[in-house]
Amino acid sequence: MRRRLVRTFLALVMFAAAALTGTIATAGTAQADSCYTWGRTLNRGDSGSDVKQLQIRVAGYPGYGNVLAIDGEFGPATEAAVKRFQRAYGLSADGIAGSQTYNKIYALQEADCSPAHFDFSELNRCNSTWSGGAVSAATARENAKRTMWKLEAMRHALGDAPIRVTSGFRSYACNNAVGGSPSSRHLYGDAADLGSGSHSLCTLARQARYHGFRGILGPGFPGHNDHTHLDHRSSRYWSASSCGI
């Protein structure tokens, strides 16, 4: 909460300074950000690393059953995801990533590029180095970041009530200690287990279908009556029979 208040205060100071100097952002520019700053307006047909960074932030808005490719190519699927992101936050839904879209993203992301309501520490209770899993530490951490942005979209869609993460990245040692599957997606850093709290496990499982998760396991699936599991496996597998999935 404290870091959000500080961030809001700083944003207000920056806005006031911009107003005094006449440098308030126009359609193609936006305030600088300590995580990542976009330098151009992006729309369909564009490509590059800046498109990839945008895709990571809007990957939680692919539409029911879809997964947005993080490929640096601004195609129709990315345009549709941008529009859904814009609608979700009351912006003009034109599918063009300009100052209104960037400034909303800047307001949502922290200096370490995690989204506002999730921390890397929540996605890694195993070790601080992100090492010992099925992929490099850097890849595991990046996968967790992408998972958090999808969870941020899901959280917003559920009325901004907290979502409780109970497990994320695991090294082989951590995974063995909890009796995890030898092929668990937790070893890749792209899985999250969610506990009940503000929402039931079934509500979480059902909502996840709209936010780019290929793997959804919940109540009714063996060993998942006490949590909802989400991941980014290569093909879709949804199973939560108690929830009608």
Side-chain angles (χ1 to χ4, degrees), residues 192-206:
D193 290 347
L194 310 180
S196 59
S198 300
H199 311 288
S200 72
L201 297 178
C202 282
T203 294
L204 295 169
R206 294 188 193 105

Side-chain angles (χ1 to χ4, degrees), residues 175-198:
N175 192 59
N176 290 340
V178 298
S181 165
S183 59
S184 172
R185 294 308 304 183
H186 288 283
L187 296 165
Y188 296 81
D190 64 9
D193 290 347
L194 310 180
S196 59
S198 300

